[in-house]
Amino acid sequence: MLDKFTKLTPELYGYVLEHRSERDPVLAALIEETGKLGGWSMMQIAPEQGAFLTMLARIMNAQSAIEVGTFTGYSAISIARGLAPGGRLLCCDVSEEWTAIARDFWQRAGVAERIRLEIAPATDTLRALPEGETVDLAFIDADKVNYKTYYEEILKRLKPNGLIVFDNVLWGGSVVDEQNQKDDTVAIRALNDFVASDPRVECVMIPVADGLLLTRKRAAGETR
Ligand SMILES: C[S@@+](CC[C@H](N)C(=O)[O-])C[C@H]1O[C@@H](n2cnc3c(N)ncnc32)[C@H](O)[C@@H]1O
């Protein structure tokens, strides 16, 4: 197979970051604040992923969004910024400590009114959603072993043409290392395989940062 991709170097990655239009002092301050958490800060999404989520939400004119895995709130701000007027984002996380930072920055970013945060295991939050609640856009970026559960819980509420975006689907490259049988790796591999052959959706993997998997729910009667 021809290598139809350009390998990123730190210099080229810097170039990528320079060439996006979403330059937001609040997000820059959030990166700095999250950096104070030390190694945990690695969990924050990359800036180009945030800009991509904002653009997706805008293109879709998303009214209703769900995020699984909020941490200090970067992806939530990115999604909330792109929502249609009156749009709402439900955020799921288990950490009061990390999401306290998120709440502060949502205020500063002017998106707090659009966001509802539920502190509980996301499976419980999703299963407790009212009957008939529908979703345009979801971003899944939490515990990897539950990705498949989050997928099924959200897919049944997703509108036709709605999108579920998964983060970390390359898992540092370990998805193609068969020697790596750690729980997280096995779960991500299984999710990637399952979604790729799921007739309910159309999917494409985008190698940005640690890999995004975009999954669009097919409309009824849609032909390939
Ligand atoms: C990778 S971080 C999310 C990063 C975030 N999207 C951002 O942009 O900064 C993963 C988050 O998932 C949360 N988490 C882990 N297990 C969870 C669960 N069972 N239910 C809900 N959230 C969970 C963690 O507390 C953590 O904040």
Side-chain angles (χ1 to χ4, degrees):
M1 199 194 319
L2 284 175
D3 284 353
K4 288 208 171 195
F5 58 87
T6 301
K7 285 182 189 146
L8 281 185
T9 60
E11 189 187 7
L12 201 48
Y13 181 60
Y15 183 86
V16 169
L17 287 185
E18 277 167 24
H19 291 82
R20 73 199 144 96
S21 45
E22 294 285 341
R23 294 303 181 86
D24 182 336
V26 178
L27 288 176
L30 178 54
I31 291 172
E32 196 179 327
E33 185 66 28
T34 305
K36 295 177 190 165
L37 298 174
W40 293 114
S41 64
M42 276 299 292
M43 294 203 296
Q44 188 171 58
I45 60 162
E48 71 278 19
Q49 288 183 301
F52 185 56
L53 287 171
T54 305
M55 192 179 281
L56 280 180
R58 283 207 181 108
I59 290 169
M60 298 177 70
N61 202 29
Q63 288 282 349
S64 164
I66 295 180
E67 170 178 272
V68 180
T70 294
F71 189 42
T72 58
Y74 194 107
S75 49
I77 293 175
S78 305
I79 295 166
R81 285 242 160 105
L83 292 175
R88 303 281 298 157
L89 170 65
L90 168 65
C91 286
C92 309
D93 207 290
V94 285
S95 170
E96 292 277 8
E97 184 193 340
W98 289 331
T99 57
I101 298 171
R103 286 184 197 276
D104 176 21
F105 278 81
W106 294 342
Q107 289 290 347
R108 294 200 213 178
V111 295
E113 305 305 311
R114 297 180 211 165
I115 299 176
R116 176 165 72 92
L117 172 65
E118 287 288 335
I119 301 291
T123 304
D124 297 350
T125 302
L126 295 174
R127 287 186 177 154
L129 286 175
E131 200 64 29
E133 175 120 352
T134 55
V135 183
D136 295 303
L137 173 65
F139 181 55
I140 301 181
D141 185 21
D143 49 329
K144 311 309 169 195
V145 290
N146 281 317
Y147 265 30
K148 174 79 180 341
T149 303
Y150 302 147
Y151 175 64
E152 291 295 352
E153 287 301 324
I154 293 171
L155 187 63
K156 61 187 168 195
R157 297 173 172 90
L158 201 65
K159 292 180 193 165
N161 272 323
L163 205 61
I164 304 177
V165 181
F166 296 91
D167 195 17
N168 304 112
V169 293
L170 299 180
W171 208 224
S174 61
V175 283
V176 292
D177 174 8
E178 288 303 327
Q179 305 299 313
N180 188 325
Q181 293 297 327
K182 291 181 184 163
D183 291 350
D184 287 342
T185 313
V186 170
I188 292 175
R189 222 181 259 141
L191 184 274
N192 290 340
D193 290 346
F194 182 83
V195 169
S197 59
D198 186 344
R200 297 171 294 177
V201 299
E202 171 188 52
C203 74
V204 60
M205 206 176 268
I206 310 283
V208 57
D210 193 25
L212 292 177
L213 177 62
L214 272 63
T215 310
R216 182 187 67 87
K217 187 174 185 176
R218 292 181 189 278
E222 182 180 318
T223 50
R224 293 185 186 205

